[in-house]
Amino acid sequence: MAKSGTTTQGLRAAIERSGYYPALVAEAVESAVGGEAVASYVVHQETTFDANEVRRHVTVLVLTPHRFIVSHTDEQAADSSSPTPYATTSTESVKLDRISSVVVSRVVANPESYTPGTLPREVVLTIGWGAVSRIDLEPAACGDPDCDADHGYTGNSTADDLSLRVSDAGDGPDTVRQTLTFAQALSEAIAATAAPTR
């Protein structure tokens, strides 16, 4: 379930509607937002199945005039560190000029008959700001199948700070639409921040 909008009151209401520890999530997010205005937001709850347990996770993305804020909250079952179930919540605040990429991947059914404005079946929003990178390496080789020389390694580095996947089937069309709206607002804010001043 995702909710999107543009006001602090709307953000609080969306967190409460998610029903996922709303007091905890709201306090963490509102503390990170501080006194800034909320330009756009998305609240996305995801349920996963881990062995015999059902776990919930909520991600809150907030765009302010100067920052991108991401909050994650997870619930955990009782374990050796805690005799009772518990939740962990974290927030990260990123200045807009630090965001290096906003990638929107769309999965569209029947592309040969696609009509502009039709919602994708699935959207993956990936945002990178350099906090987390993934490096995939493999041994380098030459074209000679009989060569046994060491050619070092080859690979690539990928920004992997945040990836949010929503789908029409799993989350509903409103969630897909709202994620696209947030991605557009974030891209426009980054472009405005990067634009030269005259």
Side-chain angles (χ1 to χ4, degrees), residues 139-174:
C142 66
D144 181 358
D146 297 323
C147 179
D148 61 358
D150 183 355
H151 295 286
Y153 290 88
T154 185
N156 57 47
S157 175
T158 308
D160 200 18
D161 294 308
L162 173 79
S163 188
L164 181 71
R165 177 189 171 273
V166 297
S167 69
D168 185 15
D171 302 291
D174 287 343

Side-chain angles (χ1 to χ4, degrees), residues 70 82 94 116:
V70 59
S82 174
V94 182

Side-chain angles (χ1 to χ4, degrees), residues 20 32 35 39 53 55 67-68 91 95 111 115 117 127 136 142 169 178 180 187 193 197:
Y20 183 82
E53 297 177 356
R55 293 193 182 183
R67 297 179 299 146
F68 164 69
T91 57
K95 289 173 55 177
T115 304
I127 302 168
D136 296 318
C142 66
Q178 292 159 352
L180 290 171
S187 293
T193 301
T197 56

Side-chain angles (χ1 to χ4, degrees), residues 45-146:
Q45 183 179 320
E46 181 179 16
T47 302
T48 58
F49 300 93
D50 182 18
N52 295 330
E53 297 177 356
V54 176
R55 293 193 182 183
R56 295 178 297 166
H57 174 89
V58 69
T59 301
V60 180
L61 309 180
V62 180
L63 175 63
T64 74
H66 305 288
R67 297 179 299 146
F68 164 69
I69 297 164
V70 59
S71 173
H72 295 288
T73 304
D74 290 286
E75 64 183 355
Q76 307 290 333
D79 58 23
S80 60
S81 68
S82 174
T84 60
Y86 61 99
T88 58
T89 187
S90 65
T91 57
E92 184 171 1
S93 175
V94 182
K95 289 173 55 177
L96 290 178
D97 62 3
R98 291 231 13 244
I99 296 178
S100 56
S101 67
V102 177
V103 180
V104 179
S105 301
R106 304 166 192 238
V107 177
V108 177
N110 303 314
E112 68 282 354
S113 60
Y114 176 78
T115 304
T118 302
L119 284 178
R121 184 172 71 192
E122 179 179 309
V123 170
V124 179
L125 172 61
T126 305
I127 302 168
W129 57 91
V132 178
S133 293
R134 182 179 67 244
I135 298 176
D136 296 318
L137 294 175
E138 61 184 37
C142 66
D144 181 358
D146 297 323

